[in-house]
């Protein structure tokens, strides 16, 4: 999971940058989200045994703070019925 907060008034630019540069190749699934406060989130699912490379860093002038990254392991899944 990759999350960034845009510099004031630059949320649309950060979202466009993420769409172009932060969506990882080779992932089984990728979702790009935006949230209030000019936040952008990328969540990617990877095949077992694949160690994903970190996405590129956004230009520092687009950011209000450094990018946050977390890796999670799936423990439980409920699918739509």
């Amino acid at each position: 999971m990759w999350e960034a907060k845009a510099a004031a008034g630059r949320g649309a630019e950060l979202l466009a940058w993420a769409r172009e540069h932060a969506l990882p190749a080779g992932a089984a699934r990728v979702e790009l989200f935006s949230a209030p406060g000019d936040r952008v989130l990328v969540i990617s699912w990877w095949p077992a045994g694949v160690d994903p490379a970190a996405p590129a860093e956004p230009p520092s002038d687009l950011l209000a703070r450094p990018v946050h990254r977390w890796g999670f392991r799936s423990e439980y899944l409920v699918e739509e019925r």
Side-chain angles (χ1 to χ4, degrees), residues 32-58:
L32 176 63
F33 298 88
S34 62
D38 288 332
R39 287 179 168 79
V40 175
L41 176 70
V42 176
I43 298 178
S44 55
W45 287 259
W46 294 85
V50 174
D51 189 18
E57 278 291 315

Side-chain angles (χ1 to χ4, degrees), residues 27-81:
R29 177 177 167 182
V30 177
E31 291 192 47
L32 176 63
F33 298 88
S34 62
D38 288 332
R39 287 179 168 79
V40 175
L41 176 70
V42 176
I43 298 178
S44 55
W45 287 259
W46 294 85
V50 174
D51 189 18
E57 278 291 315
S60 60
D61 62 321
L62 283 180
L63 299 174
R65 57 161 170 71
V67 171
H68 295 271
R69 290 180 178 87
W70 299 273
F72 294 91
R73 181 180 62 245
S74 178
E75 300 290 346
Y76 182 74
L77 173 66
V78 176
E79 295 195 41
E80 292 182 39
R81 299 173 203 242

